[in-house]
Amino acid sequence: MEITSANIKELRDKTGISVMQCKKALEEADGDMDKAVIILKKKRSEAADKKSDREIGAGAIGSYLHNTNEVAALVFLGCETDFVSKNEEFVALARDIAMQVAANNPTFISKDQVPEEILKKAEEVFKAEVLDKPAEMQAKILEGKMASYFKEQILLEQSFIKNPETTIKEMINGAVQKFGENVSIVKISRLSVK
């Protein structure tokens, strides 16, 4: 299948990834748009893994105040350089994540922040719920229940409120791919009247 500039533009509009990467993904997928999106997501995750150990030296504070003036959130979105931290898209991402924090009130940024004690207590509760299931299925069901329970509490696991097809982690991975440096949520804070 011939890959046109319209195809490349459509993929770029969907993903926000560079024209060259979109063209390569479409070529690899033989023009199949859905496959190209999957290829880009896979590469996005690989890029994030490669850059995750780089030091955060700059960033932006994203803020969100709900129109009722009853809920507000702040997010410190870190990156490596001032060049990226001043980028309009980076600042907009920080604000979007602050809106997510205001709306969903996550307790933790990532799974590794959940204390072992809380994990164990949750596991005890869910183990009791799977006892009547077939033995060979219990571990898989327990894993699903744990993931579902903590998805609401862990910011990176949450579906983005503006686009439920993507998670906050995928958005961060996309930023790593787009800006070419480590990007991470350093700190979140939420304040509510109720």
Side-chain angles (χ1 to χ4, degrees):
M1 179 180 174
E2 183 186 340
I3 296 161
T4 66
S5 58
N7 298 129
I8 295 168
K9 182 182 181 327
E10 180 183 347
L11 184 59
R12 178 166 165 63
D13 290 345
K14 276 185 179 180
T15 63
I17 306 300
S18 75
V19 171
M20 283 307 297
Q21 289 183 44
C22 287
K23 183 177 186 225
K24 286 178 185 174
L26 281 166
E27 287 170 352
E28 190 176 328
D30 293 323
D32 185 319
M33 189 67 64
D34 294 332
K35 282 184 183 176
V37 169
I38 292 167
I39 289 166
L40 286 173
K41 280 187 178 184
K42 182 177 155 249
K43 289 184 182 196
R44 177 184 290 177
S45 182
E46 290 168 0
D49 289 345
K50 285 180 188 173
K51 293 177 174 48
S52 66
D53 59 348
R54 290 188 185 173
E55 190 173 327
I56 298 293
I61 304 292
S63 64
Y64 177 79
L65 175 63
H66 193 270
N67 61 13
T68 63
N69 292 322
E70 294 180 349
V71 179
L74 294 173
V75 169
F76 172 15
L77 185 62
C79 60
E80 296 174 47
T81 64
D82 282 344
F83 177 75
V84 169
S85 71
K86 306 280 188 255
N87 182 293
E88 254 180 60
E89 289 181 61
F90 184 84
V91 173
L93 176 61
R95 184 179 188 283
D96 279 346
I97 296 170
M99 183 188 318
Q100 180 83 20
V101 170
N104 288 1
N105 194 18
T107 309
F108 311 102
I109 295 172
S110 62
K111 188 174 183 176
D112 62 337
Q113 288 184 337
V114 181
E116 192 64 37
E117 177 185 316
I118 291 175
L119 286 170
K120 284 180 181 173
K121 286 185 181 187
E123 191 172 324
E124 285 174 23
V125 170
F126 293 123
K127 269 187 178 175
E129 289 182 15
V130 300
L131 285 176
D132 62 335
K133 307 294 183 209
E136 66 275 3
M137 305 267 307
Q138 286 181 6
K140 190 83 169 157
I141 295 169
L142 178 62
E143 183 182 317
K145 284 182 174 284
M146 292 283 288
S148 176
Y149 176 71
F150 283 107
K151 182 178 182 172
E152 298 306 313
Q153 297 179 48
I154 300 171
L155 178 60
L156 290 174
E157 307 291 321
Q158 293 179 352
S159 296
F160 181 40
I161 56 176
K162 286 182 171 180
N163 178 8
E165 293 178 15
T166 189
T167 64
I168 300 300
K169 183 177 177 77
E170 289 171 341
M171 291 172 60
I172 296 297
N173 289 348
V176 170
Q177 189 177 25
K178 180 182 287 187
F179 300 119
E181 59 183 56
N182 187 12
V183 174
S184 67
I185 301 169
V186 178
K187 189 172 183 179
I188 61 174
S189 180
R190 182 180 186 271
L191 188 62
S192 174
V193 171
K194 297 175 187 172

